[in-house]
Amino acid sequence: MFKQLREKLIEASQKPGFWDDGDTKAKEMVLYLRALKDGQQIADCPFGQFLQLVLQKKGISYEVKPTLETNKPEALDGKQLPAIGAYSYQEILEKTHKFFPALTAFVKNKDEAKDALLQEKFEKQLDMLDEILRTTPGQYLGGLELTLADLYLLPQLFHATVALDHFKDFEVLHMEGNFRRPALESYISRMLDMSEFNKRGVYVSVDKIIHGWKQVRAEA
């Protein structure tokens, strides 16, 4: 069953637009630089210039966003400018600690009257992950390198993909091209194809995951 899911993911990833961000432009790193008072031009910040030199030298595509302290995106709360939107794995673990509780509450629920609210709470967690990936350089949650945060969240994302499709008819991954969260969905696709994840003794089958959630839902 998972083989079929992986084949669908790989097929979907080949379609135009799968690797794009929400406005269909090629995904690139966003570099937030201190802006002048007009909010449109970048200020004379030597550290911002330093970051651009590094990115230019490494050949990393990036978009500059002049940013005032008053209009920083939520992902940069508490960060000083310039910023590349990257998080340490400790910060990611802290920001995502409500992901699995929200998933569990949604999957366990059998009261249809409560489903909409629980789904909304869970989708906020997905939106947060998508924002982290959109504002982070590289292809991982913490930036250019795989960290413990990616390995911590991958099994949870797999459970979400399987359990919600089975019990709630809810797609975390949209296979038909209507990608609601392109950055997150392309990330999940890549991570599910990681060799270590599919290694015998580590991999957990779709059927086993469904059975486990049936027990949680008192159906097995």
Side-chain angles (χ1 to χ4, degrees), residues 56-162:
Q56 291 278 350
K57 197 67 177 175
K58 293 178 73 68
I60 298 175
S61 176
Y62 65 96
E63 175 188 0
V64 171
K65 287 195 174 182
T67 306
L68 296 168
E69 287 293 330
T70 55
N71 68 346
K72 286 196 299 187
E74 184 179 348
L76 297 183
D77 282 351
K79 290 182 178 289
Q80 292 185 333
L81 298 174
I84 55 176
Y87 297 89
S88 69
Y89 77 85
Q90 296 97 329
E91 288 176 313
I92 295 170
L93 294 179
E94 176 62 27
K95 288 180 70 70
T96 61
H97 74 280
K98 294 182 180 180
F99 179 85
F100 201 72
L103 170 64
T104 301
F106 187 23
V107 176
K108 284 179 63 176
N109 179 58
K110 295 182 179 181
D111 184 350
E112 291 186 4
K114 297 179 180 178
D115 246 12
L117 179 59
L118 293 171
Q119 178 176 328
E120 180 182 352
K121 290 181 178 180
F122 177 72
E123 291 206 64
K124 286 182 179 179
Q125 298 299 308
L126 295 178
D127 290 338
M128 176 189 61
L129 288 173
D130 189 65
E131 181 181 7
I132 290 174
L133 288 161
R134 284 188 291 104
T135 58
T136 299
Q139 58 182 350
Y140 300 108
L141 287 166
L144 300 174
E145 302 293 337
L146 184 76
T147 70
L148 291 177
D150 298 285
L151 302 180
Y152 172 73
L153 282 166
L154 175 56
Q156 298 179 43
L157 289 166
F158 184 44
H159 272 252
T161 301
V162 172

